[in-house]
Amino acid sequence: DVKVTQSSRYLVKRTGEKVFLECVQDMDHENMFWYRQDPGLGLRLIYFSYDVKMKEKGDIPEGYSVSREKKERFSLILESASTNQTSMYLCASSLRGSTADTQYFGPGTRLTVL
Amino acid sequence: SQQGEEDPQALSIQEGENATMNCSYKTSINNLQWYRQNSGRGLVHLILIRSNEREKHSGRLRVTLDTSKKSSSLLITASRAADTASYFCATEGGSWGKLQFGAGTQVVVTP
């Protein structure tokens, strides 16, 4: 079974802090994704990566950056957290090579910025 | 940008009844996928239907796709309390396996 893990289930940070959210997958997937989920808005793609050291902006990249130094690990960074970044953050991975990529999700990190 | 839109936003049914939810999308797709999310958890993939398919079954799930109307439906037959969850459609139409998710349908199944 594919396993995607995220470093924290719940996180509370203060405005202006630098925040790191870590995601690890154990199935050698090329693609990794970071989403945020807000009520009524569904999942919105922040960034994705299709290979080590490669990254592409999603629909809402402002205020975020990412890092992928190893294939299994994809980090989301909030350089200076703000209250409007309070949300559920979901990481996912998928195997590249077909046009039918199923995404496997981690359990999510609920971030609160005070 | 949101590609899929689910309808209804919320659905409340009793155990044993069928649950139907719909998804409409705007642009051409390679495939459409349905995911389930239990409260406060990650999403779990349920079923995928390709653009050249019209209907697909998986256990108690039936998915239809009408590309001319740019719409899909998910039917859960003989629902159970454990089916209580939010259901999301997601479309894939570009490269790199990117998905566009809708806002979801929240389903509550009461015993």
Side-chain angles (χ1 to χ4, degrees):
Chain A
D1 273 357
V2 176
K3 194 168 184 185
V4 180
T5 57
Q6 295 183 228
S7 49
S8 306
R9 288 298 317 280
Y10 300 94
L11 208 52
V12 179
K13 296 291 182 181
R14 297 207 174 273
T15 301
E17 280 192 82
K18 190 168 186 176
V19 182
F20 293 87
L21 302 182
E22 301 282 332
C23 175
V24 178
Q25 50 93 6
D26 66 357
M27 283 301 290
D28 206 34
H29 284 175
E30 290 89 356
N31 297 339
M32 295 189 76
F33 307 84
W34 274 108
Y35 297 91
R36 66 175 281 175
Q37 182 180 21
D38 299 288
L41 296 177
L43 277 73
R44 293 180 291 168
L45 182 64
I46 304 171
Y47 267 97
F48 68 101
S49 169
Y50 52 89
D51 205 346
V52 176
K53 296 193 186 294
M54 305 302 286
K55 60 184 179 184
E56 292 284 340
K57 292 180 180 178
D59 299 318
I60 52 163
E62 296 78 20
Y64 303 94
S65 61
V66 290
S67 172
R68 192 159 180 209
E69 296 297 317
K70 292 185 178 180
K71 192 175 186 179
E72 67 271 19
R73 189 179 298 269
F74 191 34
S75 302
L76 180 69
I77 303 152
L78 286 67
E79 294 290 342
S80 178
S82 63
T83 55
N84 62 13
Q85 292 178 310
T86 291
S87 187
M88 170 74 105
Y89 290 87
L90 292 163
C91 174
S93 71
S94 70
L95 186 65
R96 186 153 47 91
S98 73
T99 57
D101 294 337
T102 298
Q103 292 190 11
Y104 296 86
F105 283 81
T109 295
R110 189 166 293 280
L111 172 67
T112 301
V113 182
L114 302 176
Chain B
S1 59
Q2 208 164 297
Q3 161 81 309
E5 290 186 11
E6 286 93 343
D7 172 59
Q9 290 184 338
L11 185 58
S12 185
I13 56 174
Q14 292 196 315
E15 266 191 328
E17 293 180 340
N18 295 342
T20 300
M21 59 210 86
N22 304 296
C23 171
S24 60
Y25 57 92
K26 296 176 183 144
T27 60
S28 63
I29 62 172
N30 295 324
N31 64 73
L32 186 144
Q33 305 178 31
W34 286 91
Y35 288 79
R36 183 187 74 221
Q37 183 181 36
N38 290 92
S39 181
R41 309 293 296 187
L43 277 70
V44 174
H45 180 260
L46 294 176
I47 195 166
L48 179 151
I49 187 164
R50 299 175 193 272
S51 59
N52 61 354
E53 297 174 314
R54 292 295 167 259
E55 188 169 313
K56 205 158 182 183
H57 297 253
S58 176
R60 293 184 295 112
L61 304 179
R62 181 173 81 100
V63 169
T64 61
L65 179 65
D66 187 335
T67 53
S68 66
K69 294 181 179 177
K70 292 188 170 58
S71 68
S72 172
S73 67
L74 171 67
L75 168 68
I76 305 172
T77 59
S79 61
R80 305 166 182 167
D83 294 328
T84 294
S86 292
Y87 293 82
F88 294 86
C89 70
T91 55
E92 186 195 350
S95 58
W96 309 119
K98 283 172 58 179
L99 296 178
Q100 293 281 345
F101 285 84
T105 293
Q106 192 169 7
V107 175
V108 174
V109 182
T110 52

